[in-house]
Amino acid sequence: QVQLQESGPGLVKPSETLSLTCSVSGSSISHYYWSWIRQPPGKGLEWIGYIYYSGSTNYNPSLKSRVTISVDTSKNHFSLKLSSVTAADTALYYCARGGITMDPWFDPWGQGTLVTVSS
Amino acid sequence: DIQMTQSPSSLSASVGDRVTITCRSSQSISNYLNWYHQRPGKAPKLLISAASRLQSGVPSRFSGSGSGTEFTLTISSLQPEDFATYYCQQSISTPLTFGGGTKVEIK
């Protein structure tokens, strides 16, 4: 059974960089796409971007200038960095397997981690 | 970007009711349409992929249909555990986008 677990600081100061890691268990990270998705409190879902195990990425243009997604196959995890954060980046951040092409859906999802941007 | 529009945004229904949720895309997405539900405090869960393919373990009271720009999710007999928010999502092109959600509440 594939399981994903997000980890990282729950509080980030404005203008700093948000950093999260998604650890994958029960499956090799190889040969799949892996995505980050976020959900502001009480709002809907926004796709942030995905990475293929080979390292190729695709980001939402609305965030592209601030987002970096990377993968570490040796540790079976992938990571998200979002720079220059503001209060608008406060959200539940989810990682999920899939995105497009071979896996054009998100399944499974991690439980999510709340990141609050505040001084 | 492909815009996904769900209707209604919320609905009240009783256990045993038949419920239908509609999702429309701003351009044709063939059958690249997925449905998720999200219970309060939980992560979304994939119910249906490719417009009509029920995921393993998902009860058969859920069904999906449609292609092109109009899609529906139907729950044939609403159960207590189905009270949640439902999202559609297109996966034909990036940026991948979700509908705004339909909250199914208890009447």
Side-chain angles (χ1 to χ4, degrees):
Chain A
Q1 181 185 0
V2 182
Q3 292 187 310
L4 287 75
Q5 178 69 57
E6 305 89 349
S7 60
L11 181 65
V12 181
K13 290 182 168 54
S15 80
E16 295 190 344
T17 296
L18 176 162
S19 296
L20 297 174
T21 294
C22 181
S23 299
V24 180
S25 59
S27 167
S28 169
I29 207 164
S30 298
H31 307 295
Y32 288 103
Y33 287 84
W34 303 91
S35 287
W36 285 98
I37 298 146
R38 70 179 183 178
Q39 185 174 36
K43 297 190 177 181
L45 299 161
E46 179 182 34
W47 172 72
I48 298 169
Y50 65 62
I51 189 164
Y52 192 47
Y53 79 101
S54 62
S56 63
T57 56
N58 191 311
Y59 302 137
N60 193 321
S62 67
L63 298 167
K64 187 173 184 176
S65 64
R66 300 192 292 131
V67 172
T68 302
I69 299 176
S70 59
V71 64
D72 187 332
T73 55
S74 67
K75 295 181 179 177
N76 222 47
H77 74 206
F78 63 106
S79 300
L80 168 70
K81 290 188 185 300
L82 181 66
S83 63
S84 306
V85 297
T86 69
D89 295 310
T90 293
L92 261 171
Y93 285 77
Y94 295 101
C95 58
R97 188 174 72 181
I100 208 164
T101 318
M102 296 181 302
D103 305 301
W105 48 76
F106 302 117
D107 181 56
W109 297 56
Q111 65 184 26
T113 188
L114 178 63
V115 178
T116 302
V117 178
S118 175
S119 55
Chain B
D1 298 7
I2 298 176
Q3 309 302 318
M4 306 300 293
T5 304
Q6 287 182 236
S7 60
S9 56
S10 66
L11 64 90
S12 295
S14 301
V15 172
D17 284 353
R18 182 182 182 88
V19 168
T20 298
I21 298 169
T22 298
C23 177
R24 290 184 175 86
S25 55
S26 59
Q27 62 191 74
S28 177
I29 59 171
S30 183
N31 69 335
Y32 285 84
L33 190 283
N34 306 309
W35 289 100
Y36 304 83
H37 76 172
Q38 183 178 33
R39 297 188 177 109
K42 300 294 185 182
K45 176 187 173 185
L46 179 66
L47 297 175
I48 288 172
S49 63
S52 60
R53 186 164 63 202
L54 199 66
Q55 295 305 292
S56 175
V58 175
S60 58
R61 62 181 179 273
F62 290 93
S63 64
S65 65
S67 67
T69 62
E70 188 155 336
F71 303 85
T72 59
L73 172 70
T74 300
I75 309 171
S76 60
S77 178
L78 200 64
Q79 298 302 301
E81 60 268 31
D82 301 336
F83 292 95
T85 300
Y86 292 80
Y87 293 95
C88 62
Q89 177 245 330
Q90 65 82 14
S91 57
I92 198 170
S93 68
T94 58
L96 306 173
T97 48
F98 293 86
T102 296
K103 187 172 184 179
V104 177
E105 298 176 303
I106 301 172
K107 182 183 281 185

